[in-house]
Amino acid sequence: MKLRFLVVLSVLFLACDPDDEPAIADAALEGEWVLSQVVCYCGFEPDTDFSLTKVVFDTDRDLVTVTHDGGYTFFRESGEHFYGGQADRLGFSDNSVYRFEVEGSLLTLTFQDSTEIADDEVTFLFKR
């Protein structure tokens, strides 16, 4: 009886995988992306050049480098930012979380906003 219990317990222990939840699926993010559009409840001058903002994802180091060559700051401050997350979510040290989706040469980052505030939705569209 003890042997059967031990066998069942061993099988259950081996069947439990602590990594059942997938790690962040960020392989498609690798490389440089250029901001093409910001969609939000905010206004921009018609001649706003979003392409002056670039991000480079280093998925081996879980690092995104942001550069702004213009006067506006979009997405994050210039510099290196480490990220974590799970599945299709990117989380940063300031507790901001973005959902990401890569379709071909288009990257969509959507800020996961507070449900109590109706006007803080923002989506960043990047192209390779």
Side-chain angles (χ1 to χ4, degrees), residues 15-128:
C16 293
D17 184 3
D19 293 325
D20 280 347
E21 292 294 320
I24 188 167
D26 62 351
L29 293 173
E30 184 70 35
E32 181 177 275
W33 299 89
V34 177
L35 185 63
S36 64
Q37 187 178 2
V38 178
V39 180
C40 61
Y41 291 107
C42 46
F44 296 106
E45 296 295 323
D47 60 344
T48 301
D49 187 358
F50 296 110
S51 69
L52 298 175
T53 297
K54 296 177 178 64
V55 296
V56 178
F57 280 92
D58 180 345
T59 56
D60 291 333
R61 296 177 50 208
D62 295 332
L63 179 75
V64 61
T65 303
V66 180
T67 57
H68 305 287
D69 292 332
Y72 294 105
T73 298
F74 300 109
F75 179 54
R76 307 202 56 81
E77 294 290 328
S78 287
E80 295 182 334
H81 305 274
F82 287 97
Y83 65 87
Q86 199 157 7
D88 64 346
R89 303 284 192 268
L90 297 174
F92 293 92
S93 61
D94 63 356
N95 294 324
S96 61
V97 177
Y98 298 82
R99 183 181 164 278
F100 72 89
E101 182 178 356
V102 177
E103 290 184 17
S105 63
L106 180 67
L107 166 63
T108 304
L109 291 171
T110 304
F111 178 65
Q112 300 296 283
D113 62 340
S114 171
T115 56
E116 293 84 33
I117 303 172
D119 63 348
D120 65 344
E121 294 84 10
V122 61
T123 299
F124 303 92
L125 302 172
F126 293 86
K127 292 183 179 177
R128 285 210 191 265

